[in-house]
Amino acid sequence: MDARTLRAALEIFLGEQRFIKFITAGFEPRMFYWQEREWDRFVDAHPQFAAALPRLADLLRFCLLHRQDLQPDHVRVIHATVYYVRDSGERSASLFPHASLGPYYTQGAPHPEPMHAVWYCPTCRELARADEASASGIQDC
């Protein structure tokens, strides 16, 4: 099943704002009740997508901003608690929400592995790296 076709059909069916809410609510460990009802309505109107349900989380794992599939990666784990400055987090969340450059801070929770699995958008990551380089005064030659 083609993820882009499914996403396009679902967005047209739900409308842009409801589609964004549907995607950002997440799917794990399972959908919310309202998502299940929306999915049922969608499948009633588009039965060709019924078989997508077991893989729905994978098919809908993409960057809403850049419309790209998210790619798997791993980042280093740091056992520490970090308090983020609100402004910097909001900026990255709006400009490159799926950069996932890491590291992953455990915030006091146990994490036995030295690496943490993440999903990233290639465009978000590229923009975040460019933003870091410009903030530190590094210029590409």
Side-chain angles (χ1 to χ4, degrees):
M1 173 159 308
D2 179 52
R4 292 181 196 272
T5 303
L6 167 67
R7 292 189 296 239
L10 185 59
E11 184 169 14
I12 290 167
F13 181 80
L14 294 175
E16 182 182 9
Q17 293 306 312
R18 194 79 172 155
F19 177 72
I20 290 169
K21 182 178 178 181
F22 188 90
I23 297 298
T24 57
F27 306 96
E28 298 180 277
R30 60 174 287 195
M31 287 191 280
F32 289 101
Y33 177 78
W34 69 266
Q35 286 174 300
E36 291 173 351
R37 297 295 65 86
E38 293 287 23
W39 178 255
D40 290 343
R41 285 184 338 105
F42 174 69
V43 169
D44 284 346
H46 302 279
Q48 70 272 27
F49 294 114
L53 185 57
R55 295 186 43 232
L56 197 58
D58 293 333
L59 293 168
L60 297 179
R61 187 181 293 126
F62 76 110
C63 177
L64 279 164
L65 185 60
H66 302 110
R67 302 297 173 140
Q68 290 183 313
D69 292 334
L70 299 184
Q71 305 297 313
D73 197 5
H74 289 84
V75 295
R76 189 168 52 105
V77 170
I78 296 180
H79 296 279
T81 300
V82 175
Y83 297 97
Y84 295 96
V85 176
R86 185 179 182 129
D87 292 342
S88 65
E90 290 174 1
R91 175 176 158 71
S92 64
S94 63
L95 297 177
F96 27 86
H98 296 286
S100 299
L101 288 170
Y104 174 80
Y105 294 97
T106 61
Q107 303 294 87
H111 197 295
E113 302 296 324
M115 301 297 279
H116 180 76
V118 296
W119 292 93
Y120 75 95
C121 164
T123 301
C124 284
R125 189 167 275 189
E126 181 181 319
L127 292 171
R129 285 188 173 137
D131 189 63
E132 281 181 357
S134 69
S136 65
I138 299 171
Q139 299 293 323
D140 289 336
C141 296

